[in-house]
Amino acid sequence: MNGSGQESTHRTIERVARESYGRLVAYLSSHTRDVASAEDALSNALVAALTTWPRDGMPQNPEAWLLTTARHSLIDLVRHQRVAVASEPTLLLLREESQVATLSAEFPDERLKLLFVCAHPAIDPAMHTPLMLQTVLGLDAARIAHAFLVSPTTMGQRLVRAKTKIHDGGIQFEVPQERELPQRLDAVLEAIYAAFGIGWDDMAGVDQRGRDLAEEAIWLARVLLQLMPREPEARGLLALMLHCEARRPARRGPEGRYVPLSEQDSRQWSLPLIEEAEGHLAEASTRARAGRFQLEAAIQSVHAERARSGRTQWDAITLFYRQLMRISPTLGTQTGYAAAVAEAEGPEAGLAVLDAIDLGSVSGYQPYWAVRAHLLQRLGKASEAADAFERAIGLAEDPAVRRFLLQMRG
């Protein structure tokens, strides 16, 4: 195969790995009860693809080829563990599954199953979301670490310990009984939203990886809602993500220029997605159990109203943020509340909210410094604003956001 053909094959392998990693790991893990071994087997299969596909040509079904190769790798691994009796059930399962040439229609259920497995009460609750992000969605430790404001090394060590506990503790890869699902639901919702957030932050207008991850999160939320249609927070999460997704076309201007929400052309927002989000939010409200995701969706709903009225009701947004602060006073919530208060009551009031946040907790949180810089600038405190802008610019990973802040700083 010539150079251009090899490059095309490698791009195909990267695409299949990006799109299928989580599904394949979930499927393999559901049969072996061993996340780490499933990941190792899939890694071996991807390495084999890099050697075999350029030489022999692309298989008709790349996903099925990887699944079959990974199964064979797992069988070899089990054989070499020298625990033939204990491993015989796993070998039988793998041999039976190896006869299947294509992926089954139940594949999505396997991924949802693994989400709930990762939320097992025997696993450290702090690791539920990171474990789901890596195991089900295939994110590497570095991307997960960034979302949790820790070093990649630290996150990698935590993930290894969590997977070891799953293996050594014999945690079963089975969807809990229906009565147990609500106990694990919050962790699953957090993971899906974290995936969407990472994908949203990655969306520099042309980055397909971010778009794929955000769409994957929405898909998982839809599957979850099918499983638990009466859970208002499941509907609230889907409504929240749909409202954000509706604004995707307006987030970037010509040549990828970053456009903040307040300056976006609402005519570019997707009305069908907004209407769908509003429907889910209205249905969730009938359950009379307001939670974090419903409140965040309600905030986005007020923003969406600008497409009809031409203005933003900041008093309503501030009210929803106050309710949200009582149940989920995260850094993101506090920073968003400060920005809303500034719009409703003035920059001094918004800055007072920021000043109440522990400074040690925001050293690496870029949105805090961006909002702080903006409010200080509005108050005419040029020197302090310049310092805050420097922090915000230094922490901005998106080049378009960095250019926007540089322009704002002047």
Side-chain angles (χ1 to χ4, degrees):
M1 182 177 293
N2 59 35
S4 61
Q6 286 186 339
E7 184 179 348
S8 175
T9 300
H10 288 170
R11 284 199 300 269
T12 300
I13 294 172
E14 290 176 1
R15 177 185 57 78
V16 173
R18 184 177 66 243
E19 295 175 353
S20 307
Y21 183 92
R23 288 196 295 271
L24 291 169
V25 169
Y27 195 73
L28 293 164
S29 300
S30 68
H31 292 81
T32 65
R33 277 78 166 165
D34 189 341
V35 178
S37 294
E39 290 183 323
D40 288 343
L42 183 54
S43 295
N44 291 338
L46 288 168
V47 170
L50 287 170
T51 302
T52 305
W53 294 4
R55 184 191 66 215
D56 300 342
M58 289 289 299
Q60 186 174 2
N61 189 330
E63 249 189 7
W65 190 97
L66 288 173
L67 182 60
T68 300
T69 304
R71 281 203 203 100
H72 292 159
S73 179
L74 278 172
I75 290 173
D76 291 340
L77 175 65
V78 172
R79 283 171 174 161
H80 284 88
Q81 286 176 334
R82 297 183 180 180
V83 284
V85 175
S87 298
E88 190 62 26
T90 299
L91 283 168
L92 289 173
L93 276 171
L94 291 169
R95 288 196 191 103
E96 290 170 4
E97 290 296 326
S98 67
Q99 303 304 315
V100 181
T102 58
L103 305 180
S104 89
E106 298 179 354
F107 217 55
D109 294 334
E110 300 293 346
R111 304 194 71 192
L112 190 60
K113 179 189 297 185
L114 192 53
L115 282 175
F116 278 98
V117 169
C118 291
H120 196 287
I123 301 172
D124 179 4
M127 290 308 300
H128 285 162
T129 294
L131 193 59
M132 291 181 207
L133 290 174
Q134 186 179 70
T135 303
V136 182
L137 292 163
L139 300 185
D140 59 37
R143 293 178 77 190
I144 299 171
H146 177 72
F148 284 82
L149 305 179
V150 299
S151 73
T153 300
T154 298
M155 180 56 69
Q157 292 170 343
R158 292 175 181 174
L159 286 164
V160 169
R161 286 196 295 268
K163 292 174 188 177
T164 300
K165 185 165 187 177
I166 290 175
H167 181 270
D168 295 347
I171 296 174
Q172 294 297 304
F173 279 70
E174 299 172 352
V175 175
Q177 296 296 316
E178 186 175 355
R179 65 179 182 277
E180 299 174 307
L181 291 178
Q183 302 167 17
R184 304 190 189 189
L185 178 61
D186 286 347
V188 173
L189 293 173
E190 290 288 348
I192 293 174
Y193 188 48
F196 182 82
I198 293 171
W200 185 252
D201 290 341
D202 276 352
M203 279 195 280
V206 295
D207 190 341
Q208 187 62 39
R209 291 175 302 173
R211 176 173 297 191
D212 288 345
L213 187 58
E215 291 177 351
E216 187 77 359
I218 292 174
W219 180 84
L220 283 170
R222 293 188 190 281
V223 175
L224 178 61
L225 191 57
Q226 292 174 13
L227 179 69
M228 307 179 74
R230 298 177 63 84
E231 284 293 338
E233 277 294 82
R235 288 196 182 275
L237 173 61
L238 182 55
L240 170 59
M241 295 191 296
L242 289 173
H243 266 306
C244 294
E245 186 70 6
R247 298 197 296 267
R248 183 209 295 266
R251 291 189 69 203
R252 304 289 170 176
E255 300 178 355
R257 181 178 62 86
Y258 171 73
V259 183
L261 175 57
S262 60
E263 298 178 17
Q264 289 177 13
D265 182 356
S266 61
R267 292 172 299 180
Q268 294 184 345
W269 296 349
S270 170
L271 292 181
L273 288 180
I274 290 174
E275 290 172 1
E276 183 184 356
E278 290 295 294
H280 286 300
L281 189 56
E283 176 64 24
S285 68
T286 64
R287 305 293 178 184
R289 284 191 286 135
R292 171 195 169 187
F293 293 112
Q294 292 170 76
L295 289 170
E296 291 198 29
I299 291 169
Q300 298 307 320
S301 175
V302 178
H303 281 299
E305 179 64 16
R306 178 160 68 84
R308 186 187 66 83
S309 67
R311 62 190 183 89
T312 302
Q313 296 182 328
W314 287 105
D315 288 340
I317 290 176
T318 302
L319 176 62
F320 284 130
Y321 263 119
R322 285 178 181 146
Q323 294 177 284
L324 186 58
M325 286 279 287
R326 286 196 289 268
I327 63 175
S328 181
T330 64
L331 274 180
T333 299
Q334 294 175 77
T335 302
Y337 176 54
V341 168
E343 294 294 336
E345 303 174 21
E348 287 186 352
L351 193 60
V353 174
L354 291 180
D355 287 339
I357 302 175
D358 175 31
L359 196 59
S361 66
V362 298
S363 60
Y365 189 59
Q366 194 271 346
Y368 170 91
W369 295 104
V371 172
R372 186 174 188 84
H374 177 60
L375 298 186
L376 287 168
Q377 189 177 62
R378 286 178 60 185
L379 290 169
K381 299 183 178 183
S383 178
E384 294 178 65
D387 290 341
F389 269 120
E390 286 300 318
R391 295 288 292 272
I393 292 167
L395 291 168
E397 294 194 347
D398 186 333
V401 172
R402 194 178 304 119
R403 287 193 296 270
F404 171 79
L405 291 171
L406 284 167
Q407 185 178 10
M408 287 287 295
R409 182 187 64 180

